[in-house]
Amino acid sequence: MPEPAPRFAIGVDYGTNSVRALVVDAGTGEELAAGVFDYPSGEDGVLLDPRDPHLARQDPADYLEGFRRAVGEAVVRAGEHVGFAPERVAGIGVDTTGSTPIPVDRRGRPLALDPELRDDLAAHAWLWKDHTSWAEAAEITEAAARRPERYLSKCGGTYSSEWYWSKILHCARTSPRVFEAADSWVELADFVPAWATGRTDPRTLPRGICAAGHKAMYHEAWGGLPSAELLGALDPRLVPLRDRFATPALTSDRPAGGLRAGVAEAVGLPAGTTVAVGAFDAHMGAVGAGIRPGTLVKILGTSTCDLMVAPDEEGLADVPGLCGQVPGSVLPGMIGLEAGQSAVGDIFDWFVRRISPRGLQGEDSHRALTLESSALRAGESGLLALDWNNGNRTVLVDPMLTGLLVGQTLHTTPGEIYRALIEATAFGALAIIERLEEHGVAVDEIITCGGIAEKNPHVLQVYADVCGRPIGVSRSAQTCALGAAIFGAVAGGAHPDVPSAQAAMTGVQDRVFRPSPRDAATYRELYPLYRTLHDAFGGVSGPTPASLARVMKDLIAVRERVRRETPPAVRSPVAAKPSEEPCSTS
Amino acid sequence: MPEPAPRFAIGVDYGTNSVRALVVDAGTGEELAAGVFDYPSGEDGVLLDPRDPHLARQDPADYLEGFRRAVGEAVVRAGEHVGFAPERVAGIGVDTTGSTPIPVDRRGRPLALDPELRDDLAAHAWLWKDHTSWAEAAEITEAAARRPERYLSKCGGTYSSEWYWSKILHCARTSPRVFEAADSWVELADFVPAWATGRTDPRTLPRGICAAGHKAMYHEAWGGLPSAELLGALDPRLVPLRDRFATPALTSDRPAGGLRAGVAEAVGLPAGTTVAVGAFDAHMGAVGAGIRPGTLVKILGTSTCDLMVAPDEEGLADVPGLCGQVPGSVLPGMIGLEAGQSAVGDIFDWFVRRISPRGLQGEDSHRALTLESSALRAGESGLLALDWNNGNRTVLVDPMLTGLLVGQTLHTTPGEIYRALIEATAFGALAIIERLEEHGVAVDEIITCGGIAEKNPHVLQVYADVCGRPIGVSRSAQTCALGAAIFGAVAGGAHPDVPSAQAAMTGVQDRVFRPSPRDAATYRELYPLYRTLHDAFGGVSGPTPASLARVMKDLIAVRERVRRETPPAVRSPVAAKPSEEPCSTS
């Protein structure tokens, strides 16, 4: 008797503060049940050092307990659904934050679990947002740039303090005891499948291409990890790590192994259940959102992560300014292209909570400003902003940039500034799209997911109008966990490949945001002004003095035209008090 | 027996909403008594038209009643002082808003007093801030620019909608009945002395050089008023007005005449008491503040009016961008130079009340932000702004400019933005000073008066630091009325000339704001960055693309250095006290 359809898959999503497990119907994408576990250690799961604001670590014990508890809870809850049975789970996928490397001993056990090292923060997991290694990052960028291998060509030209080698080098410099005790450093995305399947030997445990390619400078073009020459030039003690890293790095449609007995028992699944090779949350999230060639997936939250895939063909040149271009990191057989905006929701929050709260609580202030902003037409405010309050990740790759707002009058309202900030982030999104298209990667549609996509239709409408492309919202609110489940399903044989699994398991909401011809036309006029500011302050050659001298006047001209075209009755009431001047001869 | 010292003088100051009379001891400047009369007509004394927000008129009857009531009250109150007697008043000076022209009949009576015309707003006084004639202003600018006489060389190259000929031409176009009924148009500054002395014949009544020179394009270089050719090209009906305007226009140290019996009786002064030729409030205010060569008087309020005097010598070229350069308009024998910033207090108010009120009432919000702002050091915010929310009057003479703020991060606070806006207006003040000095007019010190000078020491300290010059505050809070009294005293013979009267009657407060070496040094670094933005967005040739690309990075570098130099513990959250030192400038 054939095994009855449907089968199920489980996605396990390790976030910054908690881990979530999702049981999904592999035939439909229906989300049956979830389990969530908040990391108990530190502050919301993060170990901090009051003396160093750059430091952010996590206790690996939380990850293990989190797997047992979140997956176990999800499986119990799924059991309430007719047709679900633990034996019918095809596989488990795992996504995590990253780069979050963990120092491990010769057997692959995290050093932090050793009572002798437990009190040393360096022995714990180095969370993605740990910036203690900013000096080492600069050193690596400089050293890599001197090598002939073009190591930085796949990561936008700058190696980050958030990444694998920066953190390891910083540990070697500042915590030699921990560094010496570490046999190897394992990314969280690789560690969880290794631990769950018992394949923990650092020299053989499967390493995912996503973490290796995006964070460890791994690329087949130069034979895998960076050469012993580069690592040795940084610190001779790094060289042996090269040989304790199994290659080739694998895509996540491949099994990392089968669930080992102890873990299987704890979560209520059969031993041997397939566990897929792990990857990063944004990358699996893009898969859960339905990424495919031509579709940009934009994870819209405090910052953005933008992902595209392109066929891995001869002739696809490196796209300058992108922070990652890795074969197989998103979909097997395609190049995963990663870009991002350093701040989006963070900019809105900054304005709403710090600059113009007007006595309202955060969410009320957001609502009030959204109402005012959405009553405006494109161009009506006369304002234009740059979205660089936290630097520019793509396409300028320059953290030493700041925000800019131009066009203020004495009548400018908070709602107008709020809209200008939304528009600025949308223009920043368009700059990324243009960069991709200039290098042969067409962007036909945008699918969004993340907090802003769920909560703020006004922002999405502005994005559609600015980008001139339809914007869909992922059907699932848990795209990362869903993406992980998709890889679990494929690795476990429920679908022959990822696109088939996506076809069955993903989709967008009915509501699609389409460009409004009127506002989109105005934004086509405003975007060149944004580019003028962008290029002038971003150090891109191009803008002439004459073009800068036009910016304020062109903004006024657009503003006046839009106001003329829209009768005052249609517009929101804006109280304009006449100003009294002290000096009447003025 | 010689007449006993001291003698007295009266200044009558016609503001936008009220008229104030001040009885002053001509020997000491002591202010004995005041009388105030609020104009009863319209809204706070201003006649409005709900259909046209540009319209602002006043009922001339209010001016007459105001003179009687305010002067009468001041004289009665002065009578309580030992030594005062109406016979001992040397003279009366009058300052008014302007350009505020009044259409009058053949006998010099305001048309608005004619019952047949009373209901027509065009028959009333056209208040300085009436902007109905914006189209005519553009037309006049264009026509004047075509003439060989360089008519616009004394007013910054642009004729304003607020000025004399614009308003008359607009009346000719839109209210022909009133225009035809008007024998002439008399500035309020000339009308009041004419009415008070009975010399109301439009063809002979004394016209002041201040109003004529600053607003009616009067200059000896081209023989007085603009030529019949220019006026005729605008509208042939303007030409006859040329001959109903007594020339030469006079300085305000000259008597306009003696108080006529009816008025004298109403105010309790002897008939025949000298009334000086009138002038504008800001110009007489500068005299009351102690203006002299080398001293810039800055009337700091919602906007600023900046006044200088320079010896009327061969070789003093026109200073480009200044909105007025008129011999004798401030001090007889000197060229009066007028500049201004289109918005200062208005920008602060805009930010405090509209953008970042944080649930506080206006004054409380001002106080809270001032406290935060004054706890900062120069450069610490990393922000830089342009002060163009209401355009730029001097030195760019361009209303089609807007505000700009650069340097925002996700940690930028309202107090930092508030300080950046204060600094921006101070940089704008320095740009005016530099322009004056480039053309041979040295600015050694600054004396301020007006609302901000009275109320906000923090702003004055920033101005001293940015401008690198000591800043004094006028001793009198009523500098306009005091200045008018000075002219009354001189015209009435109590002093031989205006400087002698100023020496006796004016002074600055003990408190002088001196540049702090530390912050002044930082501002010397920041001002070139302001100029880079100023010139780039203001259309002045100069800034290179490389200099713009440095702006954000240089601001960050200054910010980081200042923060390093000042340990957090040293940075006090308490408002910095201005340096209080005895005054050496009086």
Side-chain angles (χ1 to χ4, degrees):
Chain A
M1 197 169 123
E3 189 173 81
R7 295 172 73 190
F8 300 92
I10 295 177
V12 189
D13 169 38
Y14 281 84
T16 299
N17 313 110
S18 62
V19 52
R20 171 185 302 268
L22 196 65
V23 178
V24 181
D25 185 321
T28 64
E30 188 198 346
E31 296 167 11
L32 268 70
V36 177
F37 177 77
D38 295 325
Y39 307 138
S41 305
E43 197 166 301
D44 291 331
V46 182
L47 309 178
L48 302 171
D49 181 348
R51 292 160 306 175
D52 185 355
H54 293 298
L55 187 143
R57 307 279 156 84
Q58 290 191 315
D59 186 342
D62 290 355
Y63 302 143
L64 312 185
E65 182 66 6
F67 190 94
R68 291 188 202 99
R69 297 275 290 271
V71 178
E73 183 186 337
V75 168
V76 166
R77 291 195 175 167
E80 297 164 11
H81 287 257
V82 175
F84 176 83
E87 300 73 36
R88 300 185 66 203
V89 172
I92 301 169
V94 177
D95 72 85
T96 74
T97 68
S99 178
T100 303
I102 306 169
V104 298
D105 66 16
R106 181 63 189 84
R107 291 176 300 140
R109 198 171 73 133
L111 297 184
L113 304 186
D114 177 346
E116 300 234 331
L117 291 167
R118 184 144 187 76
D119 291 340
D120 193 330
L121 283 173
H124 288 256
W126 292 51
L127 189 60
W128 64 277
K129 64 177 174 178
D130 186 295
H131 289 109
T132 49
S133 54
W134 53 272
E136 287 79 8
E139 192 180 337
I140 294 172
T141 296
E142 206 182 321
R146 278 198 301 265
R147 302 287 314 168
E149 288 89 348
R150 302 187 62 243
Y151 286 125
L152 303 174
S153 61
K154 309 297 178 189
C155 66
T158 306
Y159 197 78
S160 165
S161 65
E162 293 184 0
W163 295 352
Y164 191 74
W165 293 113
S166 300
K167 286 168 169 168
I168 297 173
L169 184 55
H170 186 69
C171 181
R173 296 267 168 78
T174 58
S175 302
R177 176 163 157 262
V178 167
F179 182 81
E180 295 302 334
D183 182 70
S184 181
W185 291 70
V186 183
E187 280 281 357
L188 175 56
D190 298 332
F191 172 77
V192 173
W195 167 80
T197 60
R199 298 182 60 187
T200 56
D201 182 334
R203 288 159 169 79
T204 57
L205 77 85
R207 307 270 185 165
I209 184 64
C210 183
H214 283 286
K215 309 302 177 191
M217 260 190 279
Y218 177 101
H219 199 282
E220 289 181 11
W222 46 81
L225 290 178
S227 65
E229 285 75 16
L230 173 59
L231 296 181
L234 292 165
D235 192 316
R237 294 173 292 170
L238 294 182
V239 178
L241 297 177
R242 234 181 143 265
D243 298 322
R244 302 173 195 157
F245 192 106
T247 58
L250 304 173
T251 52
S252 292
D253 56 343
R254 301 274 298 274
L259 208 56
R260 67 183 164 94
V263 177
E265 192 178 347
V267 299
L269 290 173
T273 302
T274 297
V275 179
V277 168
F280 289 144
D281 41 14
H283 296 67
M284 285 196 169
V287 172
I291 198 167
R292 56 183 176 177
T295 298
L296 170 68
V297 172
K298 207 166 176 74
I299 304 173
L300 269 171
T302 55
S303 62
T304 79
C305 190
D306 297 16
L307 287 151
M308 288 284 291
V309 291
D312 191 358
E313 292 163 351
E314 292 290 326
L316 183 75
D318 295 331
V319 185
L322 257 61
C323 49
Q325 299 163 62
V326 176
S329 69
V330 178
L331 290 184
M334 299 220 177
I335 296 187
L337 300 153
E338 184 186 342
Q341 294 179 258
S342 312
V344 174
D346 273 348
I347 296 181
F348 309 156
D349 251 12
W350 162 75
F351 183 71
V352 165
R353 291 174 196 272
R354 302 201 71 158
I355 304 303
S356 196
R358 295 182 293 179
L360 297 173
Q361 293 301 309
E363 284 308 308
D364 289 342
S365 182
H366 262 296
R367 255 191 297 279
L369 285 169
T370 296
L371 204 66
E372 291 174 30
S373 170
S374 56
L376 296 165
R377 285 191 50 190
E380 186 176 343
S381 71
L383 298 173
L384 186 62
L386 289 175
D387 50 323
W388 300 348
N389 290 44
N390 197 24
N392 178 296
R393 190 175 303 149
T394 313
V395 296
L396 297 171
V397 200
D398 188 346
M400 302 299 270
L401 297 172
T402 52
L404 184 147
L405 179 69
V406 64
Q408 301 92 305
T409 71
L410 296 172
H411 305 293
T412 296
T413 66
E416 289 174 329
I417 296 177
Y418 187 61
R419 186 178 176 111
L421 296 174
I422 294 171
E423 292 168 342
T425 64
F427 289 134
L430 182 54
I432 293 173
I433 291 170
E434 286 200 334
R435 174 60 57 91
L436 287 163
E437 296 209 321
E438 283 161 12
H439 290 79
V441 184
V443 179
D444 304 322
E445 64 163 0
I446 301 167
I447 296 179
T448 56
C449 51
I452 291 177
E454 294 291 321
K455 286 191 297 193
N456 202 324
H458 172 52
V459 169
L460 298 185
Q461 187 58 51
V462 171
Y463 273 57
D465 293 338
V466 166
C467 297
R469 287 162 174 84
I471 296 194
V473 179
S474 169
R475 198 175 60 195
S476 171
Q478 300 297 337
T479 51
C480 296
L482 175 60
I486 286 172
F487 283 101
V490 175
H495 289 286
D497 52 33
V498 178
S500 309
Q502 284 180 297
M505 298 169 71
T506 73
V508 295
Q509 296 178 7
D510 288 343
R511 185 167 177 199
V512 171
F513 296 85
R514 297 185 188 283
S516 120
R518 194 181 64 176
D519 283 351
T522 305
Y523 286 131
R524 281 194 295 274
E525 284 182 89
L526 294 177
Y527 181 67
L529 300 179
Y530 172 88
R531 283 305 301 221
T532 297
L533 298 178
H534 175 285
D535 293 355
F537 287 92
V540 179
S541 63
T544 62
S547 66
L548 272 159
R550 291 296 322 160
V551 168
M552 291 177 178
K553 294 177 195 330
D554 289 352
L555 287 172
I556 291 172
V558 170
R559 180 188 79 195
E560 294 306 305
R561 198 197 60 223
V562 170
R563 289 183 179 180
R564 267 198 315 277
E565 287 169 2
T566 314
V570 177
R571 286 192 261 124
S572 59
V574 174
K577 259 197 173 175
S579 54
E580 292 279 322
E581 308 208 5
C583 155
S584 60
T585 57
S586 41
Chain B
M1 198 168 123
E3 187 172 84
R7 293 173 74 192
F8 301 92
I10 296 177
V12 189
D13 169 39
Y14 281 85
T16 299
N17 313 110
S18 63
V19 52
R20 169 186 303 267
L22 196 66
V23 178
V24 180
D25 184 321
T28 64
E30 186 197 349
E31 296 168 10
L32 268 70
V36 177
F37 177 76
D38 295 325
Y39 306 139
S41 305
E43 196 166 304
D44 292 332
V46 182
L47 309 178
L48 302 173
D49 181 348
R51 292 160 307 175
D52 185 354
H54 293 299
L55 188 144
R57 307 278 156 84
Q58 289 192 315
D59 186 343
D62 291 355
Y63 301 142
L64 312 184
E65 184 65 7
F67 190 96
R68 291 188 202 101
R69 298 275 289 273
V71 178
E73 183 186 337
V75 168
V76 166
R77 291 197 174 165
E80 297 165 11
H81 287 256
V82 174
F84 177 83
E87 301 72 37
R88 300 185 65 203
V89 171
I92 301 170
V94 177
D95 73 84
T96 74
T97 68
S99 176
T100 303
I102 306 168
V104 299
D105 66 17
R106 181 65 189 82
R107 292 175 299 140
R109 197 172 73 133
L111 298 184
L113 303 186
D114 178 346
E116 300 234 331
L117 292 169
R118 185 144 186 76
D119 290 341
D120 193 329
L121 283 172
H124 288 257
W126 293 50
L127 188 60
W128 65 277
K129 64 177 176 177
D130 185 295
H131 289 109
T132 49
S133 54
W134 54 271
E136 288 78 8
E139 194 180 335
I140 294 172
T141 296
E142 205 181 324
R146 278 198 301 266
R147 302 286 315 170
E149 289 89 350
R150 302 186 62 244
Y151 286 125
L152 302 175
S153 62
K154 309 296 179 190
C155 66
T158 306
Y159 198 78
S160 165
S161 66
E162 294 184 358
W163 296 351
Y164 190 74
W165 294 112
S166 299
K167 286 169 169 167
I168 298 172
L169 184 55
H170 186 70
C171 181
R173 298 267 168 79
T174 57
S175 302
R177 176 162 155 262
V178 167
F179 182 82
E180 294 303 333
D183 182 71
S184 180
W185 291 70
V186 183
E187 280 280 359
L188 175 55
D190 297 332
F191 172 77
V192 174
W195 167 81
T197 61
R199 297 183 61 188
T200 56
D201 183 332
R203 289 160 170 77
T204 56
L205 76 85
R207 308 270 185 163
I209 183 65
C210 183
H214 283 286
K215 309 301 175 191
M217 261 190 279
Y218 177 101
H219 200 282
E220 289 181 12
W222 46 80
L225 290 178
S227 66
E229 285 75 14
L230 173 59
L231 296 181
L234 291 165
D235 192 316
R237 294 174 293 170
L238 294 181
V239 178
L241 297 177
R242 235 182 143 265
D243 299 321
R244 302 172 196 159
F245 192 109
T247 57
L250 304 172
T251 53
S252 293
D253 56 345
R254 301 275 299 275
L259 208 56
R260 67 184 166 92
V263 177
E265 192 177 347
V267 301
L269 291 172
T273 302
T274 298
V275 179
V277 169
F280 289 142
D281 42 13
H283 296 68
M284 286 196 168
V287 172
I291 197 166
R292 57 182 177 177
T295 299
L296 170 67
V297 172
K298 204 164 177 77
I299 304 173
L300 268 174
T302 54
S303 63
T304 79
C305 191
D306 297 16
L307 287 151
M308 290 283 293
V309 291
D312 190 358
E313 292 163 351
E314 291 289 326
L316 183 73
D318 294 330
V319 185
L322 258 62
C323 51
Q325 299 164 62
V326 176
S329 69
V330 178
L331 291 183
M334 300 222 178
I335 296 187
L337 300 154
E338 184 187 342
Q341 294 178 257
S342 312
V344 174
D346 272 347
I347 297 181
F348 310 157
D349 251 11
W350 162 76
F351 183 71
V352 165
R353 291 173 197 273
R354 305 202 71 163
I355 304 303
S356 196
R358 296 183 292 182
L360 298 173
Q361 293 301 308
E363 284 309 308
D364 288 341
S365 182
H366 262 296
R367 257 192 297 278
L369 285 170
T370 296
L371 204 67
E372 291 174 30
S373 170
S374 57
L376 296 166
R377 285 189 51 190
E380 186 177 343
S381 71
L383 298 173
L384 185 62
L386 289 174
D387 51 323
W388 300 348
N389 290 44
N390 198 24
N392 178 296
R393 190 175 303 149
T394 313
V395 297
L396 298 172
V397 199
D398 188 346
M400 302 298 271
L401 296 172
T402 52
L404 183 146
L405 179 68
V406 64
Q408 302 92 305
T409 70
L410 296 172
H411 305 293
T412 296
T413 66
E416 289 173 330
I417 296 177
Y418 186 62
R419 185 175 177 114
L421 296 174
I422 294 171
E423 291 168 343
T425 65
F427 288 135
L430 181 55
I432 293 174
I433 291 171
E434 285 199 334
R435 174 60 57 91
L436 287 164
E437 296 209 322
E438 283 160 12
H439 290 80
V441 184
V443 179
D444 304 321
E445 64 163 1
I446 302 167
I447 296 179
T448 56
C449 51
I452 290 177
E454 295 290 322
K455 285 190 297 194
N456 201 324
H458 171 52
V459 169
L460 298 185
Q461 186 59 50
V462 170
Y463 273 57
D465 293 337
V466 166
C467 297
R469 288 163 172 84
I471 297 193
V473 179
S474 169
R475 197 174 60 193
S476 171
Q478 300 297 337
T479 52
C480 296
L482 175 61
I486 286 171
F487 283 101
V490 175
H495 289 285
D497 52 33
V498 178
S500 309
Q502 284 181 296
M505 298 168 71
T506 72
V508 295
Q509 298 177 6
D510 287 345
R511 189 166 64 168
V512 170
F513 296 84
R514 297 182 190 286
S516 122
R518 192 181 65 175
D519 282 352
T522 305
Y523 285 131
R524 280 195 295 275
E525 283 181 89
L526 294 177
Y527 181 66
L529 300 180
Y530 172 86
R531 282 307 301 221
T532 297
L533 297 178
H534 176 284
D535 293 355
F537 287 92
V540 180
S541 62
T544 61
S547 66
L548 272 159
R550 291 294 324 160
V551 169
M552 291 177 179
K553 294 176 195 326
D554 289 353
L555 287 172
I556 291 173
V558 170
R559 180 188 79 196
E560 294 305 306
R561 196 196 64 223
V562 171
R563 289 183 180 181
R564 265 198 316 277
E565 286 169 2
T566 315
V570 175
R571 281 187 255 136
S572 152
V574 182
K577 267 201 169 176
S579 49
E580 301 193 13
E581 293 176 39
C583 174
S584 66
T585 57
S586 62

